[in-house]
Each structure stands twice: as structure tokens, then as C-alpha cells.
Amino acid sequence: QVQLVESGGGLVQAGGSLRLSCAVSGSIFSFHAMGWYRQAPGKQRELVAAITSGGITKYADSVEGRFTISRDNAKNAVYLQMNTLKPEDTGVYYCNGKFVVPDRYPEVWGQGTLVTVSS
């Protein structure tokens, strides 16, 4: 029903910036919270940043002060502005949405977009 599509990943040098976008095919109001997760090679998927429908944000300690998550309800989109990127930020970034009213699944995931930060 509701689908998420990420974009904006790529190869950047350490210290550079990148902006990820998550487009919601349905209504962004289907979610009480949305976030960005990442999975580095050989590691488990971890929460990077999240934002509630009320605008409350949360960040992983490793990205606090460098990343900013935002939402544009009119455009049905969520963004992740990533500044001062580090090699350890490398990984596949996934957009996630947690349903206000769970359907067959309690949440939905995007396909992911690869971010590679070179030294």
C-alpha cells in the first residue's frame, strides 16, 4: 500500500555533505514516526535519525550535530542532511515509517540508498 523510495546516495570525500530523500508514495500521515537507518558491511542495521509526526527528533550519538532529519508533509517526503561525513558513515541507508494504525506489518522500509565516504 504505502511505499518508501530513497534517493540521494553516492560517493563523497570525508568532510563532504550529502542530502538523502525519502518519498512516500501514499500519505505521510500514515506514520506516527519516520526515520533513517543504516547498515554498514558486516554490521547490524542501526537507527541514525528519527522524527515524529509532532516534529520531535532523535539522533544516534555518532551523528549528533552533523546530521539533520526533516519532514515536508506537503511533499510527502522526509530528508536527511548529512554534513561533515566520515568514512564510518559508509553504509546503505534505509528510510523507515512506523504506522499509526498497523496494517499487515507494523512498519515499512524503503529499498535503501548506498552512501560511500572515502578517506
Coordinates of all heavy atoms in Angstrom, one line a residue, residues 7 42 46 65 72 75 91 100:
S7 N 16.6 8.2 -2.2 CA 17.4 8.7 -3.2 C 18.4 9.6 -2.6 O 18.3 10.1 -1.5 CB 16.6 9.4 -4.3 OG 15.9 10.5 -3.8
G42 N 29.0 -5.9 7.3 CA 29.3 -6.8 8.5 C 28.7 -6.3 9.8 O 29.0 -6.9 10.8
E46 N 21.3 0.0 12.1 CA 21.1 0.9 13.3 C 20.4 2.1 13.0 O 20.4 2.6 11.8 CB 22.5 1.2 13.8 CG 23.4 2.1 12.9 CD 24.7 2.5 13.5 OE1 24.9 2.4 14.7 OE2 25.5 3.0 12.7
G65 N 24.8 16.4 15.8 CA 25.5 17.7 15.4 C 25.9 17.7 14.0 O 26.3 18.8 13.5
D72 N 8.7 17.2 5.2 CA 7.9 18.1 4.4 C 6.5 17.4 4.2 O 6.4 16.6 3.2 CB 8.5 18.5 3.1 CG 7.8 19.7 2.5 OD1 6.6 19.8 2.6 OD2 8.4 20.5 1.7
K75 N 4.9 17.7 0.7 CA 5.5 16.9 -0.4 C 5.6 15.4 -0.1 O 6.2 14.7 -0.9 CB 6.9 17.5 -0.6 CG 7.0 18.9 -1.2 CD 8.4 19.3 -1.5 CE 8.4 20.7 -2.2 NZ 9.7 21.1 -2.5
G91 N 27.6 3.2 4.3 CA 26.6 2.1 4.5 C 25.4 2.3 3.6 O 25.3 3.3 2.9
V100 N 0.7 4.6 12.1 CA -0.2 5.0 13.2 C -1.2 3.8 13.5 O -1.4 3.5 14.7 CB -1.0 6.2 12.8 CG1 -2.0 6.6 13.9 CG2 -0.1 7.4 12.6

